């Protein structure tokens, strides 16, 4: 029996009724915040994170119904099934076992009846040994020099997670190593990287689960051509991370080493597999990568075992669904008051929007668009305040996650301005923004009125250690899947990215024909694309065409 559509359940009706109460003036956040013990009642501690949702538009009664929702949709049972290796990715007939990547327990985890842990432990061990050899100079490039640059070639899930973590932890990186990312097929990305590396001391890490992604293949070819042009032997400068048996898992193409990821790990959930493990261990050292895994494992265990009312990612998912489905917010911002978390929002953007941007339940029943994910975006504070916060305060409202860190990675720089350190100045803003959004302000001048009643959560970390970053990473992963479980959608497939790829392939064929025969005409294509292809191939004639 498929579970009923969320919108057809009794709990949906109850929550919709609850939401109506919140349109009353007395439910404005400026009043709710005066409730006694507001912070204690609406905040949670767990797995090293503090999650404060006291400035969400919620009260005890609404919260009670949200907890009921968690039970009604059996969220923890679904999560348990995921961690136990059941085929929760139903449309692709696969398990989703990213949590196994950071399991350090002796317990087996089975996918298709087979314990996946031995293979996972082997990969970790292989990464450790490899990273030590590269960092220690035991493996060198083809001219015998130790590696000083790492270029990570990959896109989407084979890029964003590693970029988020490497930025978050770059204070711990080996100063002798520079890390570069080559994701975009745009030649400007390649040109930029090529102009900043020393080819002889560059290690290229080619990451692709499928090894069929057009952008990554094009960039890989570009890199090989570049090395060959410099007289270097690519087999001494390239390492691959891909699934077993993929086109890139090819022994006839010699590389320094090849690392496997597994088909039961989705791209956007793969940063704790070899996809993140190889580049991050090279850049930060394996021990730090392992600390990150241990932090993620703590959050996994918390999400698995804590009851809904104490479960951080589950509560965050409930609040998110409340804001989206019942209070009607269509976007959600992630604003870390911590520059090292500058790539958290792009990572969560893929993680969440690829997972929750669906239009049918996992068994194919249509959902109206409002019953799945919202738009995620974000930038670090205070930068965001000086760019788009005008709209956050006086324009269209959207919920925000404010993320703060008690101790910065750089505690040694303590000069003061206006009587406070930079970190304290940052905190003054980190504290003022959620309050200003919640409380608002009246003014005789309508242009200076702040309506307030704009919800936010605050997530606090003690510091930005690898362990805490791992906890934060897993928090967002689990928040994402809990939301998907509420809607009964599959957070592990991404068919929505296919149509554009197929159309690109048709257009590519036209380009191939033109490259082979300059007389090839684009006529017969749809008129709009014909116009643009003519423009691309016209070169200097473009101006003439426009004038004509
Ligand atoms: O790792 P790859 O197979 O190269 O895939 C890279 C990325 O491309 C796809 O288009 C998907 O949208 C992503 O989920 C995936 O992570």
């Amino acid at each position: 029996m498929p579970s009923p559509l969320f919108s057809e359940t009794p709990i949906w009706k109850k929550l919709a009724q609850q939401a109506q109460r919140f349109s009353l003036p007395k439910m404005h956040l400026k009043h709710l915040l005066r409730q006694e013990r507001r912070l204690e009642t609406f905040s949670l501690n767990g797995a090293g994170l503090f999650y404060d949702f006291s400035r969400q538009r919620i009260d005890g009664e609404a919260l009670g119904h949200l907890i009921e929702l968690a039970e009604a949709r059996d969220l923890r049972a679904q999560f348990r099934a995921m961690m136990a290796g059941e085929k929760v990715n139903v449309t692709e007939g696969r398990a989703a076992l990213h949590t196994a990547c950071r399991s350090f327990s002796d317990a087996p985890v089975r996918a298709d009846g087979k314990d996946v842990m031995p293979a996972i432990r082997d990969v970790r061990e292989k990464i450790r040994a490899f990273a030590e050899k590269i960092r220690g100079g035991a493996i060198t490039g083809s001219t015998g020099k130790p590696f000083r640059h790492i270029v990570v070639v990959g896109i989407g899930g084979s890029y964003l997670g590693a970029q988020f973590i490497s930025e978050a932890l770059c204070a711990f990186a080996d100063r002798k190593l520079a890390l570069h990312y080559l994701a975009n097929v745009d030649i400007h990305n390649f040109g930029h990287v090529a102009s900043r590396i020393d080819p002889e001391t560059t290690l290229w890490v080619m990451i692709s689960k499928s090894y069929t992604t057009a952008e990554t293949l094009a960039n890989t070819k570009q890199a090989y051509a570049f090395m060959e042009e410099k007289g270097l032997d690519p087999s001494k400068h390239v390492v691959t991370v891909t699934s077993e048996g993929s086109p890139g898992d090819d022994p006839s193409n010699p590389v320094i080493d090849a690392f496997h990821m597994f088909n039961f790990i989705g791209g956007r959930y793969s940063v704790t597999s070899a996809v993140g493990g190889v580049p991050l261990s090279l850049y930060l050292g394996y021990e730090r990568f392992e600390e990150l895994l241990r932090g993620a494992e703590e959050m996994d265990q918390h999400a698995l075992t804590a009851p809904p009312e104490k479960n951080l990612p589950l509560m965050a998912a409930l609040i998110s669904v409340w804001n989206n489905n019942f209070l009607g917010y269509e976007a959600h911002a992630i604003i870390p008051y911590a520059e090292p978390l500058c790539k958290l929002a792009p990572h969560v953007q893929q993680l969440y929007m690829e997972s929750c941007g669906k239009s049918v339940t996992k068994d194919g029943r249509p959902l109206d668009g409002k019953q799945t994910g919202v738009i995620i975006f974000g930038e670090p504070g205070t930068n965001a305040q000086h760019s788009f916060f005008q709209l956050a305060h006086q324009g269209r409202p959207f919920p925000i996650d404010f993320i703060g860190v008690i101790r910065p990675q750089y505690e040694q720089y303590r000069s003061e301005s206006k009587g406070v350190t930079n970190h304290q100045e940052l905190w003054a803003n980190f504290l003022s923004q959620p309050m200003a959004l919640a409380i608002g302000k009246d003014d005789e001048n309508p242009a200076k009125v702040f309506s307030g009643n704009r919800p936010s959560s605050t997530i606090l970390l003690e510091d930005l250690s690898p362990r805490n970053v791992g906890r934060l990473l897993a928090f967002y992963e689990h928040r994402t899947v809990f939301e998907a479980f509420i809607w009964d959608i599959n957070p592990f497939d991404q068919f929505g990215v296919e149509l554009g790829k197929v159309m690109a392939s048709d257009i590519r064929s036209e380009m191939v024909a033109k490259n082979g025969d300059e007389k090839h005409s684009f006529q017969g294509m749809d008129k709009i694309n014909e116009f643009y292809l003519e423009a691309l191939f016209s070169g200097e004639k473009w101006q003439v065409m426009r004038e004509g």
Side-chain angles (χ1 to χ4, degrees), residues 155-158 208-211 213 267-268 350 354 494 497 501:
I155 198 164
S158 293
S208 177
K209 180 178 174 182
S210 62
Y211 234 88
T213 305
R268 55 194 173 274
Q350 186 205 10
E354 225 174 52
Q494 60 282 324
V497 303
K501 285 188 195 172

Side-chain angles (χ1 to χ4, degrees), residues 273-322:
S273 74
V275 166
V278 173
L280 293 170
S281 299
L282 290 169
Y283 188 51
L284 305 168
Y286 175 81
E287 304 309 324
R288 297 204 174 94
F289 174 65
E290 190 172 305
E291 270 298 293
L292 175 96
L293 299 187
R294 290 187 186 276
E297 183 187 28
E298 273 180 58
M299 187 55 78
D300 298 344
Q301 288 303 319
H302 169 82
L304 180 71
T305 56
E309 64 279 10
K310 297 213 166 105
N311 192 314
L312 273 75
L314 195 155
M315 184 62 75
L318 293 173
I319 302 274
S320 179
V321 165
W322 169 247

Side-chain angles (χ1 to χ4, degrees), residues 40-91:
E40 292 83 342
T41 313
F42 299 99
S43 64
L44 295 175
N45 253 310
L49 257 59
F50 180 68
Y51 176 60
D52 160 18
F53 51 104
S54 63
R55 285 172 286 207
Q56 290 290 346
R57 296 176 59 201
I58 196 143
D59 63 1
E61 198 180 325
L63 182 64
H65 289 296
L66 286 173
I67 306 279
E68 219 181 292
L69 162 63
E71 305 293 1
R73 302 303 272 179
D74 231 353
L75 299 189
R76 283 195 307 154
Q78 294 197 60
F79 193 83
R80 207 177 309 122
M82 178 188 85
M83 278 188 74
E86 283 182 33
K87 288 188 176 164
V88 289
N89 180 355
V90 287
T91 49

Side-chain angles (χ1 to χ4, degrees), residues 7 102 139 195 241 285 339 361 367 383 461 482 495 519 543:
S7 56
R102 56 267 190 150
I139 300 179
S195 69
V241 180
E339 185 62 23
T361 60
L367 291 167
N383 298 18
L461 286 78
F482 278 131
F495 296 116
K519 292 202 203 65
Q543 201 59 34

